[in-house]
Amino acid sequence: MEWVRPEDTAYDETRKLFNAMIDRRPAVIARCAGAADVAEALAHARANRLDVAVRAGGHSVAGMSTNDGGLVVDVRPMKSITVDPDNRTVTVGAGVTWGEFDRATQEHGLASTGGRASTTGVAGFTLGGGSGWLERSYGFACDNLQSVDLVTADGDRVTASAVENPELFWALHGGGGNFGVATGFTFGLHDLGPTVHAGIMLFRGEDAPDLARAYRDISLKAPDAVGTALVFLTAPPEPFVPEDMVGKPAVGLAYLYAGDPAAGAEEAAPFRALGPAVDLVGDMDYTAFQCMIDDPPDLYHYWSAEYHDELPDAALDVIVDAASRLPGPHSQHLVARWGGAVAGPAAAQTPLQNRGAQWVTHPYGMEASAAAAEEAKAWVKQFRRDIAPYANGGVWLNFVGDEGRDRVRAAFGEENYGRLARVKREFDPENVFRGNQNILPAAS
């Protein structure tokens, strides 16, 4: 165990999060190497009446992995990874990132649905559900879980699986960090890679209205093995971007085929026929694709998201209009195709509501200063108001900040929220783990 306090030279770097908008100062950070350290940290919090936050990847846009004046359980030192290629499983510590996960499993040509940014932590991503490029083929990250090791608020060590604490296991498929500190995960894996047909196409911004419609229509016909998103952005000053596009509105199309690369090339053809100005889609390492849209550090972030059963032309007009008003050069607006395994048999085995949604819109306000971030925040909120007539009311909590209790309930629906609340009462009746998208313990 390593205790990091404000007077320590490592304090500022240790408390730093992915989102520069979050600048909080916990009283102590407990860097835990295993379950025993976590139990010790939680005992310290109880004895000193400290609020508790749990930090893994630190990608919570709302800063839920830290606090002011409390204790942060930092599980980043838990970096163990054990791949069993014969049984196609992997067991990882709670401090592992998706980049580390992917590199280890790809040594055996195996993969599971992981984060779209390689620096995202496995723990928070999975406990919140876990939406990634492979979801249409293999479901969410949580759908691939086989077991979770957890330390409860009282310091007890429990394992949750389909046969051991099955109700807790169900709750951990999207219920977040409400029930304890996860210290380890075992996932089922799928044959994929190391070479896949994947990459990014870049189109000129003036093509956005027609491109959005074409993307929708082509995506609706694509097989489940095709994972895509349309990303509205400002063309970056990269060597592969034509000089006359740099700094101007552009549209990216991210593409991944979960299967034979030759088949992936055939399925990419309708998208390629749209005439991208830049075409970086081809045979490449899966791990390289997983890093292609990693966000630069030290930006100020504010995100949100909406679910959609369909995207009529009028909804696409709202999306394109919002994209024409990106608040700055770093902000982006993403439209992701769902369906396939997202709405498959596993959907009924999780508390997550509205898994039948066909699309997700995801405005990313990302800017280089606090002042610009406030403009980005206003832009995100305005989009949510404008797109509301075309949204179905669902929400993906990993995609949003702290938007209130109604949004938490919308993620699960009333019946599933009530069931989660009963699991919360059993494993965390005092609501120790409330620094999250919080589920209140059910009344006795």
Side-chain angles (χ1 to χ4, degrees), residues 68 94 116 128 188 190 197 212 276 280 294 324 354 396 414 441:
D68 277 318
R116 291 182 174 91
H190 308 268
H197 198 76
L280 301 180
D294 283 1
S324 72
N354 288 313
W396 183 260
E414 289 303 312

Side-chain angles (χ1 to χ4, degrees), residues 62-110:
M64 293 175 175
S65 45
T66 190
N67 57 34
D68 277 318
L71 179 140
V72 173
V73 179
D74 186 345
V75 300
R76 282 178 293 175
M78 300 183 196
K79 291 291 191 182
S80 62
I81 304 177
T82 303
V83 181
D84 182 344
D86 294 330
N87 291 312
R88 297 199 302 179
T89 63
V90 61
T91 299
V92 302
V96 171
T97 66
W98 280 106
E100 294 162 342
F101 181 107
D102 290 336
R103 287 189 290 273
T105 57
Q106 280 291 283
E107 289 183 10
H108 307 277
L110 298 168

Side-chain angles (χ1 to χ4, degrees), residues 324-351:
S324 72
R325 295 180 285 102
L326 290 178
H330 300 289
S331 292
Q332 300 178 3
H333 196 6
L334 181 145
V335 180
R337 172 80 168 109
W338 270 13
V342 171
Q349 307 303 316
T350 71

Side-chain angles (χ1 to χ4, degrees), residues 115-338:
R116 291 182 174 91
S118 67
T119 55
T120 303
V122 168
F125 178 89
T126 302
L127 295 174
S131 170
W133 299 119
L134 296 175
E135 63 199 1
R136 283 170 46 78
S137 293
Y138 308 136
F140 296 145
C142 68
D143 297 334
N144 295 279
L145 275 175
Q146 294 189 357
S147 67
V148 182
D149 293 326
L150 200 75
V151 179
T152 70
D154 291 333
D156 295 332
R157 303 183 200 180
V158 300
T159 296
S161 69
V163 296
E164 192 173 0
N165 294 305
E167 193 70 357
L168 174 61
F169 190 54
W170 171 83
L172 295 173
H173 284 66
N178 274 283
F179 313 101
V181 180
T183 58
F185 302 80
T186 297
F187 294 87
L189 298 170
H190 308 268
D191 293 319
L192 183 73
T195 300
V196 293
H197 198 76
I200 294 174
M201 300 177 190
L202 194 65
F203 299 81
R204 297 179 186 276
E206 56 263 31
D207 297 331
D210 291 338
L211 182 63
R213 287 162 169 74
Y215 167 75
R216 173 198 60 195
D217 297 342
I218 295 169
S219 297
L220 286 171
K221 298 175 183 177
D224 293 349
V226 173
T228 63
L230 206 62
V231 186
F232 301 87
L233 71 161
T234 301
E238 297 288 348
F240 58 82
V241 178
E243 187 175 347
D244 67 324
M245 289 183 66
V246 172
K248 295 179 180 179
V251 187
L253 195 160
Y255 176 93
L256 170 67
Y257 186 81
D260 177 64
E266 292 182 12
E267 296 297 341
F271 298 104
R272 184 168 283 119
L274 298 175
V278 177
D279 187 354
L280 301 180
V281 174
D283 290 357
M284 64 186 304
D285 284 348
Y286 173 72
T287 55
F289 175 74
Q290 284 290 86
C291 299
M292 283 190 80
I293 63 169
D294 283 1
D295 297 321
D298 302 325
L299 294 179
Y300 294 73
H301 294 254
Y302 185 86
W303 314 333
S304 193
E306 295 291 350
Y307 287 1
H308 309 273
D309 295 327
E310 58 182 3
L311 286 179
D313 287 354
L316 293 177
D317 289 342
V318 172
I319 293 166
V320 170
D321 177 67
S324 72
R325 295 180 285 102
L326 290 178
H330 300 289
S331 292
Q332 300 178 3
H333 196 6
L334 181 145
V335 180
R337 172 80 168 109
W338 270 13

